[in-house]
Structure formats: structure tokens, C-alpha cells
Amino acid sequence: MKAVRFSAFGGPDVLEIVELADPHPRLGQVRIAVRAAGVNASDWKKRQGLMDPQLPQTLGYEAAGIVDELGEGVTGVAVGDRVFGFCTDGAAQAELAVLTHYAPIPSPLDFDVAASLPAATETAARALDQLGVAGGNTLLVNGASGNIGAAAVRLAVARGARVIGTASPANHALLRSLGAEPVAYGDGMTARIRALTPGGVDLALDVAGNGILPELIDLAGGPAHVVTVADFGGAKQHGLRFSRGDDGRALYALSQIGELVTSGRSALPAVQTFPLAKVAEAHRVGEAGRATGKLVLLVHGPGDKGGRDRIEDQDEQ
């Protein structure tokens, strides 16, 4: 199978499309013919040598596709089903990938949008759980228009929380469509939030990592009411929780996506797609901050339904 791999650390040019042996699922896993795979900031951090030291490395932790092989003990899914989920081996950017945690793709979704959801949704759900977000709470999401922030807004609104989201003015319409009350970043942000909720907020989630944890602590009434997924140093300095996967993952959130989508309670994220062979360009766009949506790689293959035409069109560009 073809897969993304790099054998040296460096810029996007170190990325290659290589032939690797086909993977096979183990107990409880499924293998998919990949139709789309998400690209995240962790991918270019790995490529730069900032995370894992070993070489060579493959890339990709989230994907969507068609089940083509079942591991031992798998029930409730069959060959030919459309699923999306997590590839814990970090090898989802390939023609075939093994998923350890997965769920059916909701029927309204194409593969590209489905592949954009797992990582952001799990991260957001985990942070909301750690904060204890529930109906009746007022939650402030700092950095609400990005992939994780928007997922946090969707999930918190679905829980019945009132959500205030910070973002640049250009993204305020998006936040309103998700059910949040938008507030602009920058000088006077705290005053603008207090104009909406004079007593402050119950809870705050920092997704932006832009150095305003003291303001969030003040608005939420103390560090115990604030969680960050983006500012490890700030969390340590100010005595609040930095959410990480080894605290326990919210993998149940995959199955919630379908209910949110089919109920019409969740606006879907924008995606920016590239064919698998253009993975280096996807990295350049992401690192430069020029992405117009969640970055997703498209993989063409036989048997693709509910997204095949879109993938073929992209490959021809």
C-alpha cells in the first residue's frame, strides 16, 4: 500500500509517499480502505523532530473509510461499512489503516468531513468532562473558532450550556451558527465578556494558548474552573489543569457525533482537502496558518461511495 512516511527530520520536503506492507487488524480492531485522513499540528511537529525521536515515521491518527477486514472479536460492524475513528499506530495517512476506536459515519457526512472530526471531538469532550460542563453552566471557550474550539462549542451547547466564545471578528458568524455568543480577542476582552455576563463565567476552556490564562482564571473564579489544551507552561505556572490524553480519553464522543449531526444540532466544520500525494503542500499551508478549514488528505480507491466523485475531482486538480 502507499503511505506517507519520512526518514529524516526537517521541512515538508522530507515527506514521501512510499510502499509499505499492508497492515492487519488485531483483537477488536478493524482495517479500512482509507478515503480521507486528518492532518494535525502534531504531524508537522513530529516531522520537525519535536515529538518522537525514532526514524522512519508514518503519520496520521484519524481517518474515515470503508471496512475491508475485521479483527478477532469484532461485532456490530461488517466489511463494506463506512466508519471513522482513531489509528493509534499513527499510520492513517495511507491507503489502508487499522482503527482501534471507531464509529459508523453518519449518513449525511462525506468521508472528508468525517475524517476531520475524531481528534478535535475527543480533545474537546475530554476537556469538557474534566471541567464538568453541564446544562445551566456558562462556559467561556478561548479560541472557539478553531477545530477543537468549535468542537467544544458544539458539544457544550448540546449539553445545555451557555457558551461564550472568543475569536477574531471574521469568525463571529461561525460561532453564532454553532450556538455561541462571540467576543473579540484583544484589549478590552474581559470587559466585553463581563458585559454579557457581569458575574463572570462558571468555567473556561483555553484552546488558543495565547497567554491569557490569568484573565480566564479571574473570569471563572479560580484556577480550578479553568482547563487548557494549549498552554502547558501556563498551566504549570498558574496551577491549573492541562488536559492530555494520558489522563483518559473521551472516546465515547465518536458515537455522539452521529446523534448531533442527524439531529441538526451541530454545524459541520469546513475542510480543506489535498490528495495524498500533496501531503507536503498540506503541511506548508497548515504551518503558515493559511488553512481555510481542517486539513484533510483524500485517498482514492475502488468501492468508494458517498464521496467518490469529490475525491476523483480533487485528484485531478
Side-chain angles (χ1 to χ4, degrees):
M1 69 167 187
K2 291 182 173 63
V4 176
R5 191 179 71 176
F6 60 92
S7 299
F9 297 120
D13 290 342
V14 304
L15 297 171
E16 301 175 301
I17 305 296
V18 300
E19 287 286 342
L20 297 178
D22 293 353
H24 296 282
R26 299 182 295 274
L27 180 68
Q29 298 176 328
V30 301
R31 189 179 75 179
I32 62 170
V34 177
R35 296 295 175 263
V39 178
N40 296 292
S42 60
D43 290 337
W44 50 82
K45 291 178 182 178
K46 289 181 68 174
R47 191 204 71 225
Q48 294 166 356
L50 301 177
M51 295 177 64
D52 305 323
Q54 75 273 10
L55 289 170
Q57 289 186 43
T58 55
L59 289 173
Y61 288 98
E62 56 183 345
I66 300 170
V67 175
D68 78 342
E69 189 174 324
L70 304 177
E72 183 180 352
V74 170
T75 60
V77 64
V79 170
D81 286 354
R82 295 178 356 127
V83 301
F84 67 131
F86 292 102
C87 174
T88 55
D89 295 332
Q93 295 170 17
E95 291 179 319
L96 298 170
V98 172
L99 302 185
T100 302
H101 304 283
Y102 48 89
I105 297 175
S107 57
L109 299 191
D110 288 312
F111 290 115
D112 53 358
V113 175
S116 76
L117 295 170
T121 302
E122 187 280 325
T123 301
R126 176 185 357 118
L128 296 183
D129 289 349
Q130 291 165 347
L131 282 168
V133 174
N137 290 152
T138 297
L139 170 71
L140 172 62
V141 179
N142 179 47
S145 63
N147 296 320
I148 296 172
V153 172
R154 292 185 198 98
L155 294 172
V157 168
R159 295 185 186 195
R162 176 190 181 189
V163 181
I164 297 170
T166 66
S168 62
N171 289 315
H172 284 190
L174 167 65
L175 295 190
R176 291 189 188 97
S177 75
L178 297 175
E181 301 168 58
V183 172
Y185 288 127
D187 292 342
M189 184 194 75
T190 296
R192 289 189 288 275
I193 292 171
R194 289 197 181 277
L196 292 175
T197 174
V201 298
D202 299 313
L203 303 163
L205 171 60
D206 171 43
V207 180
N210 56 350
I212 65 166
L213 290 180
E215 290 91 331
L216 300 185
I217 291 169
D218 177 63
L219 285 163
H225 302 145
V226 181
V227 165
T228 179
V229 299
D231 189 351
F232 179 79
K236 187 175 181 180
Q237 177 182 356
H238 298 290
L240 56 90
R241 186 169 194 167
F242 179 83
S243 180
R244 64 183 78 205
D246 54 13
D247 291 337
R249 294 195 176 274
L251 297 168
Y252 69 86
L254 285 178
S255 60
Q256 289 188 339
I257 294 172
E259 192 271 334
L260 290 175
V261 169
T262 56
S263 69
R265 289 188 289 147
S266 179
L268 295 173
V271 296
Q272 183 175 359
T273 60
F274 297 82
L276 186 69
K278 300 292 186 181
V279 59
E281 180 60 21
H283 277 229
R284 293 187 187 98
V285 168
E287 287 183 271
R290 294 187 284 111
T292 57
K294 166 74 178 196
L295 298 172
V296 175
L297 300 175
L298 299 179
V299 185
H300 172 65
D304 186 6
K305 297 179 181 179
R308 181 173 183 174
D309 291 341
R310 297 174 67 181
I311 293 173
E312 289 175 342
D313 290 345
Q314 179 68 36
D315 284 342
E316 291 169 3
Q317 292 177 4

